[in-house]
Every structure is written in structure tokens, then in C-alpha cells.
Amino acid sequence: MKEFESFERIGTTPHRSYYIPFDENDVIGTKYGIIDRTSSSRFTSLDGEWYIKQLDHVEDFNISDVLCETITVPSCVQMHGYDHIQYLNYRYPFPVMLPHIPYDNPCWHYRRTFTVNKKDGKRHYLNFEGVDSAFYLYINGKFKGYSQISHSTSEFDITELVIDGENTIDVLVLKWCISTYLECQDKFRFSGIFRSVYILTRPERHITDYKIETDFNENVGILTFINESNIGIKLIIDGSTTIAQPKEKVQFYIQDIKLWTAEEPNLYSLELYANGEKVIENIGFRKVTIDGKVFKINGAHVKLKGVNRHDFNCETGATVNLDNMAEDVLLMKKLNVNALRTSHYPNCPEFYQLCDKIGLYVMDEADLEMHGACSRSGSYDGKLWSEYAENDFFTNGITDRHIALVERDKNRPCVIIWSLGNESSFGKAFFDGTRYIKSRDNTRPIHYEGTQNADPKYYYTDMVDIVSMMYPSIDTIKEKVLENPEESRPFVICEYSHAMGNSCGDLAQYWDLIYNNDQMMGAFVWEWADHGIKTDKGFLYGGDFGETEHDGNFCIDGLLTPDRKLKSSALEMMAVYGGKLKSEVHPVEIPQNTIDHSSAIDIKVNEHTGEIISIKADGREILRTPIHFNITRYTDNDRGLMSHWIDTYHLDACKPHIFSFEKKDDYYKFNGCLAANSLMPAVYFDLAYKVDRNRLLITAEYELAPYVKNFPRFGIEFGIDKAFNNFSYVGFGPYESYVDKHIACEYGYYESTAEENYGFMYIRPQESGSHHACKYLEVKDLFTLSAKEPFSISVNPFTTAQLRDTNHAFDLAENNFVNVCIDLAMRGIGSNSCGPHLSEKYEIPAKYKNVFEFNF
């Protein structure tokens, strides 16, 4: 069988824990508080410029080829003009013909040279920390090995193949291999040597691996060190020294121990010495337990305030450096995040050291997702998922991933939970790997959500210690977990509050339940940051690269923009994770208005539509677009409703139809409906205008047609001159706020501009910049607005139609006016782009009335 159609790895050393050896005389540097591995004289980086050549097929590889082009390593080849960029959520990128891979399989031949001092009698280990998807390795023209598992370190002992002086590495990287069936994660599908490459130069006899376990008894810390090497290791910690002989277990007892938690990440330095080498391990004393239904750390019940994180950079794709990782960890801490899930693969090794040092709990997930299995028949069928999970063919591949996960990260204090993978169902193919984890490490529980989509006989399997769900409703949690007498495990929501676009309107609802139930461990927002590719004109997403199969902007689903700017959802999460679950209306003094009022206004009304087409104050025209009805919107959470709103109900085509019209002096009264061709009215309305000198009173009342469900909003919209860009309001601010999303806000008086208010945070434009429960609005030097009942407002550079119909922020056409929206009612934001339906209490009322007073 071809290597790339089997799960075999050839010529690699066994999976081991991540560490970097130093010469015992090296001065160890640090960066971001963790060991700077480049300060080791035993570490030789091969990052930098390599030669490269793209091939169409594996068989086109010729090790004697002349390579003329160059590429930076690490990097993703698609970010350098090779192949094509493609974003897929859950589909396989090629014909599903297990166990085969398409003949047309792009490959990349890499080459570089390096220098070795062969005379010193050392051994030389070549490490690849990440290659997608598989690769063949040649040293000085001779085959050394083959490896796969994209997000796992592949280490080769190349001592016998190197020569004294200059040596040549040739690497053939395959876009696809059999592992692609196990790596169908929701992300841009990048290829290449995307993580660092380096050589470790080591003594003939040296440390190979070890296992560290911690415990405590009252104020005494217990460190258990298991030497899994064939050489004795001298150990020093906290002034104590001992020798761990080969395959021996030794213990240290540390008095007055300071425990490790995410809030207080106390670390102790453990020094390992053997045959002229030293290794430094940062030790965190902590204990993870499950007490009945309750998850505990150090004996205390802990709530995991989590996010899901991909390794992603908007300019380099799946390649991230230490600066990128540190930026993420520090931002998480700022936003009150205390936990993360490495979705859906192990992150870079140094990332865990940052989490140890800065303090984050980590749910460490295997590089495993078979999501494409369930869609391979053209529909979404969970039984097809289960077929793969029960298929013995996958056992070796899945087991190897579980071994790689645990062995590399077993000594990291930040890792508190092992996760078997993502969205791959569960069955016989998982048994060996899961048993390996349980036998290898009984200090951490196992998480896996995939049993939700497996044969029901596996639901309560003792192989999984934590019950988990994605995007459950509150009612589902109560029914299936909290009120289920058969469910005895702690419960975590591994994905929730899908942060796509203007989202996360449900955070406080979830956390009201989580904070008040000990069985609930916490929850992880999907996801940390948008996946958007940065270009000169703006950020791009699926479908922008000419690819046939793609999943559009579903990758633009983060709390942060691709370049790590905070969206309102991130601020909402920060507030809720900080323990705030309510933000209430309270009395706020409206500032005294000192502007000169016009002596009178004149209005012109279209008696056939009810629209105000002109307002003149002292002869000067106020409006740039008429005051018209506004009943549509787009947010990414409305994706599932847009076909109803637009294709079925044609809300965008609804026009006002007047049943009756009265006019008496400066008083206008309308009764009518909004309706589209071929359909019954969507909404009925009564509307009245009254002019009194410089005042305009608008009385608006609506009643929804019962056949239209989940009505987006009811309000008015109009344009004013761009000179009137400054505004102030009393309502929930300073961030955008909605009926279900205003925890991050406080009720008060705020000032802003149209540009600041819009914020330009959404790559796919959508409803934004609204402020909930307002009682006052002033557009500076133009008008003030108050009302009998609270209302919502937005003052933005763009219209509702522009935000609804434009696919990219860079395509928004500039207007010669500022757009004002006044809403009697707007439905909540929710998180239904990939989550439960909006709670009924956040839908707009079937009937509503308000009276507005404009003073010009």
C-alpha cells in the first residue's frame, strides 16, 4: 500500500513530551516569561528560506530536481501563491473514496542545507512541529522516513545519514493523505511546513522522556518524577536534589506549597541534568478531580470561562509565532477568560508554556475531526458519521493521535482535560486510543462531545468522564443533564454562543444557569477570532478565492477581528465572565440643551405612502432621504431567517399601502399596511404626524400579521446631511446594545459620531451600532428626540439596505448623508448562526405603540 494511504509513520522516534535540552553551561534566556529555546546551544533552527517546487502528483517527485523558487519556513504554501486558498467548514475537500486519495494531489518539494559537526560524537534529531498533511524526508539524497498528523511533532534521528560539514534536506509535502479523512476541521485548508523546524544536537546517551505528576496534602506539595529514559537524571527543585535512575520513580515533598491555578499560576523550577545536558521544567502543583457531578481543581469547584481557539494569523494563515500566541493569551486574561479549548488539534508547544506562566486552563484536543463523513452522501446524515467511528480501519490513525496528544503535553500544568477530538461520532475505532489515555494518565479526565452523535449505547460510556454538548438551548441542558437522573457526570458546553458577526446575545442566560448549578463546569465560546485573510482591500473569506466548494463567511465567527480588535461580543463576554449578569435602566439626567431652536418647521408628506419627504427648519432642508418605514435587517444570526424574510415574506419589497388618510392643518393621520406583491400584508400600522412650531410629534403603532414569524424590527429610517455627524443619547452604551445584549453596557449619557458608532468591526456588514432602551437622542445642531416609551437608535454612515445586502465591508459605498434609525422594537441578537433559536421573550411584540417628539 502507498504510505500516504495508510496511517503508518516511518522512521520517527516515539512520541515524547516537549522539552528543549540545553548545554549545562548555557545561559537560559526567556521571552514572555517562558524559556527562549533559541538560547540553547543544542538547538539549531532551520526556520528561514528554503527552496521549493510545486508538483501535481506524488509520482512527479525527483530528488535530483533543480529548485529555483524560495519560500519562508514555517509558512502555508497557499499564502505564497501556490495552489489555492480554500475555506471549508465540515466537508472533505476531495472525492470521498476511502481508503484512497485522488491522483491529482498537489505536492511541494522543499530543500535546504545545514551544517553539522560530525566529529563531536553527538546525535542529531530533526524536528518538524507541524506539516500539513504528510511528508517524506530525505537526508543527503537518502530516504529517512515518512510522517503524518499535521499538528503533531515528528522527530527523526538523522545521525547516521548526516556528514561532517554541509548537508541537504529534501522534503516532499503532500496536500492530502489518508490522515485528511481524520483532519476535516472547520478552517482554511492550508498546506506546507507551517510550524518550526529545528535540529537538537545531543549526547549519545541522553534524556529521552519523563513524566511529571503533582499532588498535595494540606500545605505539602508532592512531586512525582518518573524517569522513562535509559540514563540517570539528577533533579533539583526548591533546594532539594536527588537522582532518578533509569525507569525509576522518585518523589519530592515541598513545604508551604503555593498551588497553581489560572488565577494564581505559581510555578516551581525543576532542573534536570544528565550527561552534560540540562532541561528546565516549570512545575505547577495542582490536582484535578471529579467529586460526584462536580469538577474540581485543588479541591475547589471551578467554573471554566472559556473560548475555542485556532492557531491563526490573518497574514500567515495557520502559521503563528510566539508574539501572536502571547498576544492571544494576554488578551484572554484581559477579557476574564480563564480556560481555552485547543480547537481542534494541539496548538504550538510553546503556547502551553505561555498558559502555564500567565495562567489559563487548557482543554487539550486531539488532532481529530471526521465531520465530512456525515455529508458524504450529499445530505447531513449522522449515521454516516457513526460508520466511520465504528470502522476498524481508522483505529490505528485515531490511536496514534491520542498517543501524540498525551505524550507531548503530559507535563504541562495548564492542561487539565484531555479531549478525544471533535465531531467524529464515537465507536470501536476510539477504544484503543481512549484506553491508552486512561492508562497513561489518570490525573486528568477525558472530554468528548462526539457521543452526542453516536450509537446511543455509547452515551453513558465510562470511557468519557465529562458529558458535553454544543450549542444546546437552556431547556435542552435542563432536560438532558440537570433534570436527568441517569446523568452523573459533570457537564461542560464545549461550544456555545457562536460569535459570528453581531452575536453573543445569550451569554448572560447561560451563565445565570452555570453560576447556579455545581454540575455545570462552564462553557467555551465559539470562537476566539475571525478567520479572515488580510489583503490590500480588506479581509477575505470562503468563496473569495475562486474555489468551487466553500462555506462562505462561516469562518468569520470570532469574538475578535482577524487582527485582534475587540468586537462588542468580546466585551459582552468580558462582563459576563467577570460575574456581571444584569445591566439595568436607572434615572439619568438629560443634559440641558443650549442650541438655538428653529422658529418653525414645515413638512411635506406623501399621502400615498405616509413617508415624510421633506422637513424644512427656517427654510433649510433637513432630510437627505425621506423618513420611511424600516422593517428589515441582516445579522449573521439571521442567516436561517433571511430566506423567510426575503424569499418568502419579501419584507425587503414591502411597500406602504394607505387605507385611509386625514389631514387637518398641521396634523396628518394614516392607516395602512406594509405588503409585497402576491402576499397578504406583513404588518398593519397607524401613523400620525403633528407639527407644532419647531416640534414634530410622530405617533406610530403597529400590529404584525400572524403569518410572519420572527419579525426583525419595526421603525423608521432617514438620512441627514453629513455635517451632522455628532450625536449624543441616553441609553445603554457606549457599545452597541440590544434587548438581549447589553451586559457590557451601562445605562447613561453618551456622545459619539456616526463613524465611531458603526465601528467597522464586521467583515460581512450587518446590523450594528444600535443602542437599546434609549429615552433621548440629540443629533448635534439639528434635533433632539424623546419618546413616551424607550426606543432604540443608531446613527451610522450606512443604510439598513447597505448593511443587509453588501457582502464585504470594503464594498460599502460611501453615502453623502448620515443614516438615522429609530426603532419602536427590534428582536434580540441571540447566537443562532450556529445555536439555539432566539428566546421568545426577545422577539418583538405583536403589537406596540410609541409617541416620538422631535425638536428641531
Side-chain angles (χ1 to χ4, degrees):
M1 181 182 284
K2 304 167 186 173
E3 294 89 355
F4 56 82
E5 290 186 346
S6 82
F7 292 109
E8 184 180 14
R9 293 183 301 117
I10 302 170
T12 57
T13 63
H15 296 297
R16 63 167 177 86
S17 57
Y18 171 77
Y19 62 84
I20 297 296
F22 286 74
D23 185 272
E24 61 184 9
N25 296 314
D26 285 342
V27 176
I28 300 177
T30 61
K31 189 172 184 181
Y32 297 109
I34 68 171
I35 291 171
D36 178 4
R37 62 190 188 181
T38 65
S39 63
S40 170
S41 61
R42 305 293 176 95
F43 176 94
T44 302
S45 173
L46 296 186
D47 291 351
E49 188 176 86
W50 290 53
Y51 287 99
I52 190 172
K53 180 179 182 179
Q54 179 165 307
L55 309 173
D56 294 329
H57 314 98
V58 177
E59 65 186 34
D60 296 340
F61 174 70
N62 184 336
I63 199 165
S64 301
D65 276 352
V66 175
L67 310 186
C68 300
E69 298 173 344
T70 59
I71 192 171
T72 299
V73 169
S75 67
C76 304
V77 297
Q78 289 85 359
M79 299 297 289
H80 290 263
Y82 297 98
D83 194 40
H84 66 272
I85 295 174
Q86 181 180 31
Y87 163 65
L88 284 173
N89 174 10
Y90 59 86
R91 290 176 287 172
Y92 286 124
F94 50 51
V96 183
M97 45 190 185
L98 187 72
H100 302 294
I101 302 299
Y103 172 69
D104 293 325
N105 185 8
C107 305
W108 296 273
H109 182 177
Y110 289 79
R111 178 183 294 149
R112 72 156 291 162
T113 59
F114 63 97
T115 302
V116 166
N117 178 6
K118 193 68 180 289
K119 298 173 184 176
D120 60 8
K122 305 289 187 183
R123 301 208 70 80
H124 304 278
Y125 295 90
L126 178 59
N127 282 260
F128 294 83
E129 287 191 339
V131 180
D132 199 326
S133 66
F135 66 102
Y136 293 86
L137 173 65
Y138 297 80
I139 304 295
N140 294 323
K142 296 180 180 178
F143 175 70
K144 173 56 189 174
Y146 168 85
S147 192
Q148 53 192 317
I149 309 180
S150 295
H151 300 86
S152 172
T153 300
S154 298
E155 183 177 60
F156 300 86
D157 182 350
I158 60 172
T159 306
E160 309 309 323
L161 293 181
V162 295
I163 60 175
D164 191 51
E166 186 174 82
N167 293 262
T168 299
I169 301 175
D170 285 276
V171 179
L172 179 65
V173 176
L174 283 61
K175 180 174 183 176
W176 300 315
C177 68
I178 195 65
S179 283
T180 308
Y181 285 101
L182 298 179
E183 296 176 3
C184 189
Q185 292 101 339
D186 174 9
K187 61 185 179 70
F188 279 100
R189 307 300 175 91
F190 290 118
S191 314
I193 305 174
F194 69 95
R195 288 182 181 169
S196 288
V197 184
Y198 53 86
I199 293 173
L200 299 178
T201 303
R202 313 196 63 184
E204 183 69 31
R205 295 181 65 244
H206 56 78
I207 298 168
T208 50
D209 206 0
Y210 49 86
K211 188 168 186 282
I212 297 167
E213 297 175 355
T214 63
D215 200 347
F216 62 91
N217 185 4
E218 295 182 348
N219 68 336
V220 178
I222 304 167
L223 170 65
T224 301
F225 183 91
I226 304 164
N227 183 2
E228 298 177 343
S229 308
N230 291 317
I231 189 172
I233 304 174
K234 178 182 176 182
L235 304 169
I236 302 175
I237 185 172
D238 199 40
S240 298
T241 303
T242 194
I243 302 292
Q245 297 299 337
K247 311 303 180 181
E248 184 184 21
K249 178 192 294 186
V250 299
Q251 288 187 321
F252 290 90
Y253 297 89
I254 312 296
Q255 300 296 320
D256 300 319
I257 194 69
K258 293 181 179 179
L259 300 178
W260 186 94
T261 65
E263 293 70 34
E264 295 185 30
N266 298 303
L267 293 173
Y268 291 75
S269 180
L270 174 66
E271 301 172 38
L272 290 66
Y273 293 90
N275 203 7
E277 279 190 334
K278 66 179 174 184
V279 174
I280 305 297
E281 280 285 358
N282 284 322
I283 307 300
F285 286 85
R286 57 106 186 93
K287 178 163 57 177
V288 181
T289 56
I290 293 176
D291 182 2
K293 298 181 179 181
V294 182
F295 176 81
K296 294 182 176 181
I297 294 177
N298 301 337
H301 178 44
V302 170
K303 298 297 187 187
L304 303 180
K305 302 170 182 179
V307 295
N308 286 271
R309 177 188 176 274
H310 274 284
D311 276 340
F312 182 80
N313 178 289
C314 61
E315 297 184 272
T316 57
T319 298
V320 295
N321 59 33
L322 187 60
D323 293 336
N324 302 147
M325 293 184 273
E327 179 184 21
D328 277 357
V329 172
L330 292 170
L331 267 174
M332 288 178 190
K333 295 292 283 188
K334 176 182 176 182
L335 294 173
N336 293 324
V337 171
N338 72 357
L340 69 100
R341 175 178 176 228
T342 64
S343 50
H344 300 292
Y345 44 79
N347 288 180
C348 292
E350 289 172 297
F351 185 78
Y352 299 80
Q353 295 184 325
L354 290 168
C355 294
D356 290 344
K357 178 66 179 178
I358 298 171
L360 283 173
Y361 299 122
V362 175
M363 178 189 286
D364 202 7
E365 190 152 276
D367 192 354
L368 175 59
E369 180 167 342
M370 296 192 288
H371 211 153
C374 66
S375 60
R376 69 187 193 271
S377 67
S379 61
Y380 201 91
D381 185 349
K383 292 179 181 178
L384 296 177
W385 234 343
S386 187
E387 285 180 12
Y388 274 25
E390 294 281 16
N391 190 339
D392 289 333
F393 174 79
F394 287 110
T395 296
N396 290 343
I398 292 174
T399 302
D400 199 20
R401 287 157 195 277
H402 290 158
I403 294 171
L405 169 75
V406 171
E407 294 302 337
R408 195 196 72 174
D409 297 335
K410 60 182 176 286
N411 296 327
R412 299 276 54 84
C414 66
V415 176
I416 60 168
I417 299 168
W418 301 118
S419 181
L420 299 180
N422 185 64
E423 293 177 314
S424 300
S425 188
F426 186 79
K428 292 183 294 183
F430 282 76
F431 290 179
D432 288 354
T434 307
R435 288 171 180 144
Y436 180 90
I437 295 174
K438 281 190 168 288
S439 64
R440 180 63 165 143
D441 179 32
N442 63 2
T443 69
R444 300 174 177 95
I446 290 178
H447 160 275
Y448 188 51
E449 184 272 343
T451 55
Q452 299 287 342
N453 297 288
D455 189 313
K457 68 184 179 183
Y458 295 125
Y459 189 80
Y460 295 106
T461 175
D462 60 4
M463 293 186 180
V464 177
D465 303 304
I466 296 167
V467 65
S468 173
M469 294 181 189
M470 295 180 178
Y471 311 107
S473 67
I474 300 295
D475 288 342
T476 298
I477 295 170
K478 291 177 179 178
E479 176 188 350
K480 295 196 68 174
V481 181
L482 302 180
E483 298 169 2
N484 179 3
E486 295 184 67
E487 187 52 81
S488 60
R489 298 167 291 181
F491 172 65
V492 70
I493 312 174
C494 66
E495 294 178 23
Y496 83 120
S497 202
H498 197 259
M500 186 175 181
N502 189 350
S503 189
C504 300
D506 49 13
L507 286 167
Q509 301 170 67
Y510 280 107
W511 279 87
D512 183 52
L513 190 66
I514 293 168
Y515 282 133
N516 288 290
N517 195 291
D518 285 352
Q519 188 175 8
M520 298 195 70
M521 297 168 53
F524 295 78
V525 172
W526 185 270
E527 66 173 306
W528 175 239
D530 290 341
H531 298 221
I533 304 297
K534 188 176 182 180
T535 67
D536 290 341
K537 63 179 180 179
F539 293 107
L540 303 183
Y541 49 73
D544 291 336
F545 308 95
E547 68 271 46
T548 304
E549 294 83 24
H550 64 84
D551 286 301
N553 69 318
F554 207 66
C555 55
I556 307 298
D557 57 356
L559 295 158
L560 280 61
T561 63
D563 53 353
R564 283 10 186 206
K565 294 182 175 66
L566 303 185
K567 299 188 215 171
S568 63
S569 296
L571 301 171
E572 190 81 352
M573 180 193 70
M574 179 171 67
V576 172
Y577 281 6
K580 183 183 177 188
L581 295 183
K582 291 183 179 180
S583 189
E584 298 180 332
V585 175
H586 57 81
V588 174
E589 185 176 346
I590 296 175
Q592 203 67 21
N593 192 306
T594 59
I595 65 170
D596 292 331
H597 291 88
S598 63
S599 58
I601 61 168
D602 295 308
I603 70 171
K604 286 186 179 180
V605 176
N606 184 331
E607 63 186 61
H608 303 293
T609 65
E611 297 176 349
I612 299 178
I613 58 176
S614 173
I615 301 177
K616 289 185 177 180
D618 293 333
R620 184 176 63 172
E621 180 59 55
I622 300 296
L623 298 180
R624 293 296 177 266
T625 64
I627 296 181
H628 57 278
F629 292 106
N630 188 19
I631 61 170
T632 69
R633 75 170 192 190
Y634 173 86
T635 71
D636 287 319
N637 288 317
D638 299 330
R639 287 158 55 98
L641 293 170
M642 292 304 290
S643 61
H644 298 288
W645 291 346
I646 304 302
D647 300 333
T648 303
Y649 305 140
H650 300 293
L651 296 187
D652 59 328
C654 281
K655 295 179 180 179
H657 299 271
I658 304 304
F659 303 150
S660 64
F661 167 60
E662 297 178 26
K663 181 181 184 302
K664 185 177 181 181
D665 298 327
D666 289 325
Y667 178 76
Y668 306 80
K669 185 178 180 181
F670 298 87
N671 171 259
C673 72
L674 298 175
N677 290 342
S678 306
L679 296 175
M680 296 182 293
V683 59
Y684 298 88
F685 64 82
D686 286 297
L687 188 64
Y689 306 127
K690 181 175 176 57
V691 176
D692 180 12
R693 294 174 306 217
N694 71 314
R695 289 193 310 153
L696 171 63
L697 292 176
I698 299 180
T699 301
E701 183 175 6
Y702 72 82
E703 181 175 354
L704 303 180
Y707 81 93
V708 181
K709 307 300 182 184
N710 311 110
F711 210 85
R713 74 199 306 172
F714 188 91
I716 58 174
E717 179 178 27
F718 56 94
I720 57 177
D721 193 278
K722 289 186 76 169
F724 302 104
N725 191 43
N726 296 281
F727 71 99
S728 57
Y729 62 96
V730 171
F732 282 108
Y735 318 117
E736 62 187 7
S737 57
Y738 299 84
V739 62
D740 63 340
K741 181 184 177 180
H742 55 269
I743 306 301
C745 299
E746 296 290 346
Y747 201 78
Y749 170 79
Y750 299 96
E751 297 178 351
S752 188
T753 68
E755 287 76 16
E756 290 172 0
N757 189 58
Y758 178 66
F760 297 91
M761 288 295 168
Y762 299 118
I763 293 171
R764 197 298 185 192
Q766 55 200 282
E767 158 59 37
S768 51
S770 187
H771 298 282
H772 172 61
C774 290
K775 68 181 209 177
Y776 173 81
L777 168 67
E778 178 186 346
V779 174
K780 188 177 180 182
D781 297 330
L782 191 62
F783 67 80
T784 63
L785 171 66
S786 58
K788 184 177 179 181
E789 303 291 342
F791 54 95
S792 294
I793 64 99
S794 66
V795 180
N796 285 334
F798 307 108
T799 67
T800 297
Q802 284 179 289
L803 300 180
R804 184 190 67 214
D805 299 336
T806 307
N807 288 324
H808 293 86
F810 52 74
D811 285 331
L812 284 167
E814 185 176 354
N815 295 314
N816 62 356
F817 57 86
V818 168
N819 196 71
V820 180
C821 292
I822 313 294
D823 286 295
L824 281 76
M826 190 195 302
R827 76 191 301 265
I829 292 297
S831 64
N832 188 231
S833 56
C834 187
H837 295 295
L838 186 71
S839 174
E840 183 66 29
K841 64 183 177 181
Y842 297 127
E843 298 287 356
I844 74 171
K847 296 180 181 180
Y848 197 69
K849 179 180 180 179
N850 208 346
V851 180
F852 298 93
E853 180 180 324
F854 288 84
N855 282 271
F856 291 90

